[in-house]
Amino acid sequence: MISSQRQHLILSRLRTRGAVRITALSKELGVSAMTIRRDIAELADKGLLRRVHGGAVSTSTLLSEPLFSVKSQMDIGLKDAIAQQAIDYVSPGDVIAIGGGTTAYVFAQHLLESQRSNGITILTNSIPVAELVQALESKDVEVIVTGGVITRSNSLVGPIADKVIASLRVNTVFLGTHSVSIPRGFLMPNSLEAATDMAMMDIADRTIILTDHTKWSSTSLSLFARFDQVDTVITDDGLDADSVTKTRDLVKELVLAHDRASEETESE
């Protein structure tokens, strides 16, 4: 298969899925990961897609919230590394809040597999996180769901969600973000989701943002948190040195998680 045929197929997959992974395309097309990277780079130069860690996303998703099913295919190794770091901020018996999005969902997965989840209570506006706890069938973990209007990312937002949240109190809130803007802060494309994230921050003693390094190069509409409102940002060590320096100057704590999966991908 020549390069133009491969690139046509890559664009076709993007139209149906919203995101593609290099490893999956390499196996499907029977070529090396390096060949797929070159194809993706050429398509990115033409403005037909956007490169992300481990693959590419459709340009149509850049300023709107992708479906949860699309986002769950993106940057899996980065999300795992960030989640492993984040569980250190939970102690048995804590009352925590977990926001929407796939990074927060992966964090919930790792947390529920650890001993740190013993006796915790989770407030969430994420339908997938609530379903995860329910599937666990553990009497040792309690989940409270906010209610509200469902977004494309399977989050519950709006006045109903905000009212429920305002009546509660949590030790720590863990939130994802669609983009990071220096020096503005953290943004979402959905203004209602941004407002619900703000409501969660208002009832938390501590706010932790979970986000991979690709979010520093994207943009969104609605600001939900300034840097000085956030206690900790956990990202991966793929963040460029300049952004690391600027972010550390703005936030109380910046944690860089090491993505071992990326080493395996690069060796393919």
Side-chain angles (χ1 to χ4, degrees):
M1 185 180 291
I2 63 175
S3 62
S4 61
Q5 291 174 316
R6 289 195 307 271
Q7 291 175 15
H8 178 78
L9 187 141
I10 290 170
L11 292 174
S12 176
R13 294 292 182 271
L14 278 175
R15 281 192 292 272
T16 57
R17 301 173 186 172
V20 292
R21 294 189 59 77
I22 290 171
T23 51
L25 288 170
S26 175
K27 291 176 182 177
E28 180 180 357
L29 299 177
V31 297
S32 69
M34 185 59 68
T35 296
I36 298 298
R37 288 192 189 91
R38 283 197 295 266
D39 288 335
I40 287 176
E42 288 181 19
L43 291 169
D45 289 341
K46 297 174 183 177
L48 297 175
L49 54 74
R50 178 187 165 215
R51 286 185 288 179
V52 296
H53 183 86
V57 296
S58 169
T59 53
S60 65
T61 67
L62 295 185
L63 293 177
S64 62
E65 186 69 8
L67 292 169
F68 186 91
S69 59
V70 170
K71 293 197 295 180
S72 64
Q73 301 176 46
M74 298 158 53
D75 308 319
I76 297 171
L78 304 183
K79 293 179 173 73
D80 281 330
I82 292 165
Q84 291 282 12
Q85 288 284 336
I87 62 175
D88 291 340
Y89 291 80
V90 181
S91 298
D94 274 356
V95 179
I96 67 171
I98 300 177
T102 54
T103 305
Y105 176 77
V106 173
F107 159 67
Q109 286 180 310
H110 284 275
L111 175 61
L112 293 172
E113 291 169 357
S114 76
Q115 295 298 314
R116 290 179 177 269
S117 66
N118 292 341
I120 67 171
T121 298
I122 299 174
L123 167 68
T124 187
N125 69 324
S126 167
I127 294 174
V129 169
E131 291 176 340
L132 189 65
V133 179
Q134 184 182 31
L136 187 67
E137 295 183 350
S138 172
K139 296 180 180 178
D140 202 33
V141 179
E142 181 179 357
V143 62
I144 301 169
V145 183
T146 64
V149 179
I150 303 175
T151 69
R152 287 169 52 86
S153 60
N154 281 4
S155 299
L156 296 164
V157 301
I160 294 174
D162 299 350
K163 185 174 182 179
V164 171
I165 292 167
S167 66
L168 302 171
R169 190 78 190 174
V170 300
N171 301 119
T172 308
V173 59
F174 297 87
L175 298 172
T177 183
H178 187 268
S179 61
V180 182
S181 174
I182 296 175
R184 291 185 67 205
F186 306 90
L187 302 100
M188 288 288 185
N190 185 320
S191 59
L192 288 177
E193 188 163 9
T196 297
D197 283 349
M198 292 169 66
M200 283 193 174
M201 291 173 57
D202 286 342
I203 66 160
D205 297 327
R206 178 173 60 178
T207 295
I208 298 177
I209 301 291
L210 311 176
T211 183
D212 66 77
H213 74 274
T214 65
K215 304 302 172 59
W216 270 258
S217 60
S218 61
T219 187
S220 291
L221 177 66
S222 301
L223 183 76
F224 70 88
R226 302 188 310 271
F227 281 97
D228 62 4
Q229 294 175 300
V230 171
D231 296 282
T232 301
V233 175
I234 304 178
T235 187
D236 62 276
D237 57 7
L239 187 63
D240 65 273
D242 183 56
S243 295
V244 168
T245 300
K246 290 178 179 178
T247 303
R248 281 207 165 115
D249 287 341
L250 292 167
V251 77
K252 296 172 186 175
E253 181 185 29
L254 175 66
V255 177
L256 301 178
H258 180 59
D259 174 24
R260 293 181 178 86
S262 66
E263 296 176 350
E264 298 174 4
T265 301
E266 291 298 327
S267 65
E268 293 177 354

